[in-house]
């Protein structure tokens, strides 16, 4: 039996995947409301294919509880929050969960950490958390790091098809865990040591951050000299070895905008491109504001209450707002006392999370002269006509070309 600890964005789909592939699974979360919701037969966030997968897992007998189970395998997928000021992760949820499971597990159980951790965290924090309980890692309990790799918006497909990494002290334990993931994972599963697995995960997300930063820097260069960055990237990408990503209003999400800081923090003076990329991506929300203000001047729009912001999530077709560029932009506007003015709308966010948030497109567009499109949800993709004759700043390049559509 597997006890999956932490039933959030990663833990829930992973637990469901194991359960729907013949593995006995109990999902544990300390949040009673979440467990009650799952027990009542409802999923707790929106994700393509998740409800169907949930149905299959429930049919296969998955259980949800707030209690830790006594079993031979644990998957830890609790959050690793990070402190914006120090740029370091807080490993306390992981160490607490590991401490809790090792106090109930039988001798020889395997604890698999899926949560992303900064390189060295398992050595520095997780092992000591076990040793403090007078247990010997490798005898009383086996430690494994199997960082998740799935992308929100396509999680179910990627769980099935992505290659994975399994890091373990003991290769035979690694091979056993590989076999477990192979119950559903059709990709290649590389077995390595724990530190390599930690580093690999952070390096992957940093690779993407740097590549997005290149696209964003090109957008700034092209804007400064009246060139169309999208056309340039489109043509450059015809080269067989070039694949430039898309410029946008910034990088959000809990991973790509966070993980590179671990390398910057741990390797000062060495992580130079990485630091530069982070700074470029973090500067994008302000770049959008500058661009909006020059368009307002060009179009004679003076009243900022006539400007609306479309999109709150960190990317399209997800309901996740962690580190979202729109939130970063609103923070920046707040610093300049301009925040009360703009209406904000995102069809994926039902709760009120920012000032002047509205909950229908109609209410949003009412009275607006200009819209800043921060997220390219399917609702609007390719449909600039939905905005009538309003001026549009399309920070995601999803609205096509039209006289009213401005790009970054
Ligand atoms: N973005 C751009 N331009 C692009 C691509 C993305 O501006 O061309 C922006 C997005 O809008 C978003 C951010 O970057 O704000 C990151 O989005 P993403 O879709 O690239 O990635 P995430 O954060 O949703 O998921 C990533 C994935 N990592 C990699 O692709 C290396 C995923 O595989 C990881 O599992 C996930 O981080 C994680 O949890 O680590």
């Amino acid at each position: 039996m597997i006890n999956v600890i932490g039933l959030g964005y990663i833990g829930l789909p992973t637990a469901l995947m194991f359960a729907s592939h013949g593995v006995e699974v109990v999902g544990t979360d300390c949040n009673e409301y979440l467990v009650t919701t799952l027990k009542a037969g409802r999923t707790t966030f929106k994700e393509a294919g998740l409800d169907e997968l949930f149905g299959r897992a429930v049919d296969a007998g998955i259980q949800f509880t707030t209690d830790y189970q006594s079993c031979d395998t644990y998957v830890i997928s609790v959050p690793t929050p990070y402190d914006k000021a120090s740029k370091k992760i807080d490993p306390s949820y992981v160490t607490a969960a590991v401490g809790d499971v090792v106090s109930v597990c039988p001798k020889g159980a395997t604890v698999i950490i899926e949560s992303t951790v900064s390189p060295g965290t398992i050595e520095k924090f997780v092992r000591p958390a076990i040793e403090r309980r007078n247990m010997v890692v490798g005898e009383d309990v086996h430690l494994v790091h199997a960082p998740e790799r799935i992308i929100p918006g396509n999680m179910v497909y990627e769980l099935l098809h992505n290659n994975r990494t399994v890091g373990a002290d003991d290769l035979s334990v690694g091979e056993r865990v590989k076999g477990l993931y192979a119950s559903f994972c059709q990709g290649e599963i590389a077995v390595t040591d724990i530190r390599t697995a930690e580093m690999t995960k952070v390096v992957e997300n940093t690779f993407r951050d740097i590549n997005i930063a290149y696209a964003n820097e090109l957008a700034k260069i092209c804007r400064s000299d009246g060139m169309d960055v999208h056309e340039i990237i489109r043509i450059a990408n015809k080269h067989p070895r070039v694949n430039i990503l898309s410029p946008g209003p910034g990088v959000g999400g809990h991973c790509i905008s966070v993980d590179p800081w671990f390398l910057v923090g741990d390797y000062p003076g060495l992580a130079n491109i990485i630091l530069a990329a982070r700074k470029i991506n973090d500067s994008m929300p302000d770049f959008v504001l500058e661009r909006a203000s020059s368009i307002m001047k060009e179009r004679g729009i003076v009243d900022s209450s006539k400007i609306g912001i479309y999109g709150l999530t960190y990317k399209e077709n997800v309901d996740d707002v962690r580190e979202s560029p729109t939130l970063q932009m609103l923070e920046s506007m707040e610093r300049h006392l301009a925040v009360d003015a703009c209406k904000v709308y995102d069809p994926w966010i039902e709760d009120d999370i920012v000032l002047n948030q509205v909950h229908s497109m109609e209410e949003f567009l009412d009275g607006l002269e200009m819209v800043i499109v921060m997220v390219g949800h399917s609702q609007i993709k390719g449909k600039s006509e939905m905005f009538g004759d309003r001026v549009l700043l399309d920070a995601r390049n999803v609205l096509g070309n039209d006289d009213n559509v401005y790009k970054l």
Side-chain angles (χ1 to χ4, degrees), residues 4-79:
V4 177
I5 316 294
L7 299 173
Y9 284 108
I10 301 301
L12 181 63
T14 305
L16 301 177
M17 205 46 108
F18 274 121
S20 61
H21 286 79
V23 181
E24 189 184 349
V25 178
V26 176
T28 297
D29 200 291
C30 61
N31 179 338
E32 277 183 31
Y33 172 74
L34 188 142
V35 169
T36 311
T37 308
L38 294 170
K39 277 179 148 173
R42 292 192 305 274
T43 50
T44 39
F45 62 95
K46 295 179 209 151
E47 172 66 35
L50 189 68
D51 287 343
E52 294 77 3
L53 180 65
F54 183 76
R56 287 199 295 279
V58 168
D59 290 345
I62 189 169
Q63 302 287 316
F64 302 106
T65 172
T66 51
D67 297 325
Y68 298 98
Q69 308 297 301
S70 173
C71 62
D72 52 16
T73 309
Y74 297 86
V75 172
I76 312 279
S77 44
V78 294

Side-chain angles (χ1 to χ4, degrees), residues 326-367:
T326 306
L327 293 181
Q328 294 175 42
M329 194 171 88
L330 289 171
E331 254 178 59
S332 182
M333 289 165 78
E334 211 170 314
R335 282 199 295 278
H336 298 96
L337 300 175
V339 77
D340 319 351
C342 294
K343 273 196 271 185
V344 183
Y345 171 59
D346 190 311
W348 283 75
I349 304 297
E350 280 153 21
D351 296 338
D352 275 325
I353 58 167
V354 295
L355 277 177
N356 293 327
Q357 190 181 336
V358 295
H359 294 281
S360 78
M361 191 68 158
E362 210 182 6
E363 192 184 349
F364 174 63
L365 291 178
D366 187 33

